[in-house]
Amino acid sequence: MIRPATTEDIPQLVDIWLRASLLAHDFIPAGFWRDRAEDMASRYLPGAETYVLEAAGRAVGFAALNDDHLEALFIDPELQSFGHGTHLMAHAMSKRERITLCVYSRNVHAVSFYRRLGFRVLEERTEPLSGEQETLMVWSRTPGEAG
């Protein structure tokens, strides 16, 4: 089941975000992610349109949107590779005509995942907080309008 996030979900979502970030972005020091957990809990998630994927009565992942930009898509690391991310993205894509997102370029698994969903690369750039290269991607419901 996918539902809108509530304030009560935030601690569990931050836990998923942190564990998944540490795993997917092992090229960035762990302290970088730990230092941002409070901002995620107090600013980013409460300020976003966030959807929670529940299984067996608990949150297993979430997608957070700000307007047409996907800010976050994270699945509990213990439950990855079962289609949960695809399910959440299908939900987000059903709510928008166009979505942009940024993903660390070195996270080749994620870049490939978004390509399979129909996203295309707009540009490569440096993410200012981490100094890492990131890929800006876009998807549009109407072919030829993603860009």
Side-chain angles (χ1 to χ4, degrees), residues 82-97:
F82 292 103
H84 298 308
T86 300
H87 189 62
L88 268 168
M89 281 306 298
H91 183 79
M93 293 161 83
S94 76
K95 303 253 180 226
R96 300 291 191 275
E97 294 295 315

Side-chain angles (χ1 to χ4, degrees), residues 10-121:
I10 289 178
Q12 189 173 11
L13 301 185
V14 171
D15 176 64
I16 290 169
W17 167 82
L18 181 58
R19 289 184 296 113
S21 292
L22 291 168
L23 180 67
H25 310 118
D26 60 354
F27 47 87
I28 296 174
F32 176 86
W33 301 110
R34 290 187 183 102
D35 290 347
R36 280 155 186 77
E38 180 55 37
D39 278 347
M40 189 64 135
S42 63
R43 291 182 33 213
Y44 294 113
L45 287 175
E49 179 182 340
T50 303
Y51 296 98
V52 175
L53 174 63
E54 275 189 348
R58 73 175 185 104
V60 298
F62 68 96
L65 296 151
N66 273 322
D67 298 319
D68 289 342
H69 189 76
L70 181 72
E71 296 289 351
L73 174 70
F74 288 94
I75 304 299
D76 186 319
E78 296 173 10
L79 300 169
Q80 291 178 359
S81 300
F82 292 103
H84 298 308
T86 300
H87 189 62
L88 268 168
M89 281 306 298
H91 183 79
M93 293 161 83
S94 76
K95 303 253 180 226
R96 300 291 191 275
E97 294 295 315
R98 179 180 190 271
I99 296 175
T100 59
L101 61 86
C102 292
V103 61
Y104 286 112
S105 302
R106 290 171 62 181
N107 187 350
V108 293
H109 181 75
V111 173
S112 296
F113 169 78
Y114 291 119
R115 282 184 186 271
R116 285 192 306 275
L117 294 177
F119 283 78
R120 67 178 187 82
V121 173

